[in-house]
Amino acid sequence: NESNNNENNNNNNEQDGNQQLNSEEKEEEKLYSLAAGIFLKNLKLLKNSFPEIKPFYIEVCDMFEKRFNDLINSAEKAIEINDFKQFSSKAKILFKSLNNLKNGLVIIDQLEKRYQNLFSLLLKKLNDITKEAKNLLKKAKLEENDIELIKNSLKVLSSAKESSSLEDCFFEYYSSLTQVDQQSIYSGHNS
């Protein structure tokens, strides 16, 4: 009986974890769903004509911004632990969300900057790992600990290099930068 109870508890814990993951995935999908983008854009238009809607609009924007920032935080944690698959997953959702919500959110510029900083953070981490390994290799005599650090650095760098989803994220990131540059050029000509 006791082993059955333990087995049931383990199954319940596993189901709770899966439900939590599914709930998180559903919340993330809401950020880039077409309906959310249209709703937010329409709400913004209504707010301009009906001032009494403004508090509700701000509340909705705050909710979307919180979800976006939670995703950014998750991506940052993935960078810290060198989980490039998880980072890529979050970065793709962030990219889709930015494109979807850009016409409706109040602080879209700040969110775009956080998204861009995410890639700067990742590049800095990879660069720091590379520098550390290079510095160790310059030593005349390597200690056992140095060899382990170099091996770990190579594992992390290889993992990043072999992540095709990470490559896709950088492509999306750079294409978004190009779009921003083109938009600023066009808006500069119109002024």
Side-chain angles (χ1 to χ4, degrees), residues 130-157:
T130 304
K131 283 182 183 178
E132 181 182 14
K134 280 183 179 180
N135 287 337
L136 289 172
L137 290 171
K138 289 178 184 177
K139 284 179 147 183
K141 183 178 180 190
L142 294 174
E143 304 290 325
E144 181 92 19
N145 189 34
D146 296 335
I147 294 170
E148 283 305 309
L149 286 172
I150 292 170
K151 283 181 183 178
N152 288 336
S153 296
L154 289 174
K155 277 185 200 175
V156 171
L157 295 172

Side-chain angles (χ1 to χ4, degrees), residues 23-161:
S23 173
E24 185 178 311
E25 288 172 354
K26 287 178 185 176
E27 288 299 311
E28 291 170 355
E29 284 178 15
K30 288 179 185 177
L31 276 175
Y32 64 85
S33 75
L34 184 58
I38 291 170
F39 171 74
L40 199 54
K41 186 177 179 182
N42 288 340
L43 192 58
K44 184 178 181 181
L45 291 172
L46 285 171
K47 169 206 57 113
N48 293 336
S49 299
F50 302 101
E52 61 272 11
I53 292 179
K54 187 175 182 176
F56 178 66
Y57 169 71
I58 290 171
E59 183 181 324
V60 170
C61 284
D62 288 346
M63 179 190 63
F64 278 109
E65 291 162 7
K66 182 189 179 320
R67 288 183 188 164
F68 191 89
N69 282 317
D70 288 347
L71 260 173
I72 290 276
N73 293 338
S74 293
E76 287 173 344
K77 286 178 186 170
I79 291 171
E80 287 175 24
I81 61 171
N82 304 320
D83 187 344
F84 302 113
K85 184 177 180 181
Q86 180 72 7
F87 170 84
S88 298
S89 170
K90 300 299 181 189
K92 285 181 183 209
I93 294 167
L94 288 164
F95 176 76
K96 291 177 187 178
S97 300
L98 272 177
N99 286 328
N100 189 42
L101 303 174
K102 67 182 167 191
N103 293 321
L105 286 177
V106 176
I107 62 164
I108 194 67
D109 293 341
Q110 292 171 346
L111 297 179
E112 285 175 340
K113 186 160 272 315
R114 280 208 72 200
Y115 173 74
Q116 291 170 358
N117 287 342
L118 198 57
F119 285 88
S120 297
L121 180 67
L122 176 61
L123 290 173
K124 182 184 179 327
K125 173 149 188 173
L126 294 174
N127 192 35
D128 289 348
I129 290 170
T130 304
K131 283 182 183 178
E132 181 182 14
K134 280 183 179 180
N135 287 337
L136 289 172
L137 290 171
K138 289 178 184 177
K139 284 179 147 183
K141 183 178 180 190
L142 294 174
E143 304 290 325
E144 181 92 19
N145 189 34
D146 296 335
I147 294 170
E148 283 305 309
L149 286 172
I150 292 170
K151 283 181 183 178
N152 288 336
S153 296
L154 289 174
K155 277 185 200 175
V156 171
L157 295 172
S158 292
S159 173
K161 181 182 177 276

